[in-house]
Amino acid sequence: MTERLRFKVEGMDCASCAQVIERGVGRLAGVSEVAISTTTETLSFAAADAGVAPAVERVVRELGYQPRRIGTADVPADADAGHAGHDHGDHGHANHGHDDGEDDHDAPIDGPWWRSGRGQLVVASGALVGIAFAAAHFFPAAAYWIYLAACLIAGAPVVLHAFRALRHGSLFTIEMLMTIAVAGAIAIGAAEEAAVVVFLFAVGELLEGVAAGRARAGIKALAAIAPTTARLETAGGVVEVPVASVPIGAVVVVRPGDRVPADGTVLSGASSVDESALTGESMPRPRKEGETVLAGSINQEGTLRVRVEKPATDTLIARVVKLVDEAAETKAPSERFVDRFARSYMPAICLAALAVAILPPLVAGEPWETWIYRGLTLLLIGCPCALVISTPAAIASALAAGARHGLLVKGGAAMEAIGRVRHIAFDKTGTLTEGRPRVTDVRALAAAGEAEVLSLAAAIGADSSHPLSVAIVAAAQERGVTVPQGEGSEALAGRGIRG
């Protein structure tokens, strides 16, 4: 048996960073089947010996990230290799450090971008480039030094990460190419080109961090559906405890408006439960004694006593989050193709750039400055890192866009499959409609008019959170109907309301 270890890696928000970590960790003895998800910032691998964990942590920290052990799982020694052998070449980049004492230039961007270290770096370098551009018209001698300052500010983190990756076997990283190109440009006196290049690179890093933060928001929102505390029945009364500490067989009390803390069976009480966040069903489902309720669903009306049937780690919502995590670690077919392509193309373009820089001067006596400049240009333009970065970034953005619209897709492979779909069959109206009922017609069966019927119904349902009551009250307000004060309103689970 081998043990599968999992780590949370803070700051890993792009595919090329993941490739550098994958290469560095994969070189360690006793480590195999390395799998990484940038969406959830997780690293998992099969370890022949749990003693390799400290070595893995050391490598990840040296690459500029913060690893944190989050759990283990035993897998058979002959398990499917899964992600084994995914050598992605040396074209990644480790650009997301959180080492103590460093700035947070590469911290994940989950809030306003301008408050992040990376955003402030972009603003500072962009301001210097703008100032230097203006100064070139009035103080040409000073413009060079301002451009140089912009290079140093935006380029220092790039150089640092380039050499971190180099220490762990990743030579052909975009940071290393940037370092060579910028150093060469400065050496031949083209500081303005170097400053613009590092500024645009910093802007690209910023946009990538923002996209990664949005992609993670969907998973965080899904995990947040389940409550963190439960009202547990004890000999001394009902107490509020963490959900993780509630044992199987315990009885929890779920009040109206509360989320069900764990999958379980109703012991007593009757109510309607909103399961839309879990099943997509727009209307609340009636639940009574002996029926099952799911963690994360919302109790609408009466108080329920629920016997816990599954631990917090094995609820439906926990299993869904786990499946999404595992799916995110699986590369889409397009990502695997790009990885294979870049492995060969990257060294080739570097050799071509070197040949352009040195062969014409050596063979034909051409000026060195001109051809070195052209070689550096080819190095930057021909680098496939834009392709390596853009493919997983596009998939992550698609997953995030789906999550914002309530569509949870299990990874890039499924997203690509959806792109090939030409016909869709829907099996319920909630999928095609808004999913919230509204009053379209009022039929008065007695002598009372429509307005009176609507006012009476709204009076009785004014204190109810049931979607039908909400729709009736909204209709009364829209039509300007006077709603009297209702008394003695009582919800009848699964049947309606009276008062």
Side-chain angles (χ1 to χ4, degrees), residues 83 324 326-336 391-392 394-396 398-399 409-421:
H83 304 279
V324 172
E326 292 174 351
E329 294 174 354
T330 305
K331 295 184 184 298
S334 59
E335 290 183 86
R336 292 196 294 270
T391 304
I395 292 174
L399 296 175
V409 182
K410 287 173 52 179
M415 182 61 73
E416 290 190 9
I418 290 174
R420 296 190 292 271
V421 171

Side-chain angles (χ1 to χ4, degrees), residues 237-313:
V238 177
V239 295
E240 191 164 302
V241 298
V243 170
S245 67
V246 177
I248 296 176
V251 177
V252 295
V253 177
V254 186
R255 300 169 299 182
D258 288 351
R259 287 188 181 272
V260 178
D263 292 358
T265 303
V266 177
L267 291 181
S268 63
S271 184
S272 295
V273 177
D274 180 1
E275 299 176 347
S276 58
L278 302 172
T279 65
E281 182 61 52
S282 57
M283 293 297 292
R285 307 297 298 272
R287 290 290 182 261
K288 60 182 184 298
E289 184 177 336
E291 295 186 331
T292 300
V293 290
L294 302 175
S297 56
I298 303 173
N299 184 20
Q300 295 278 317
E301 298 152 358
T303 298
L304 298 175
R305 294 177 63 250
V306 178
R307 181 178 63 241
V308 175
E309 304 290 354
K310 294 179 180 178
T313 55

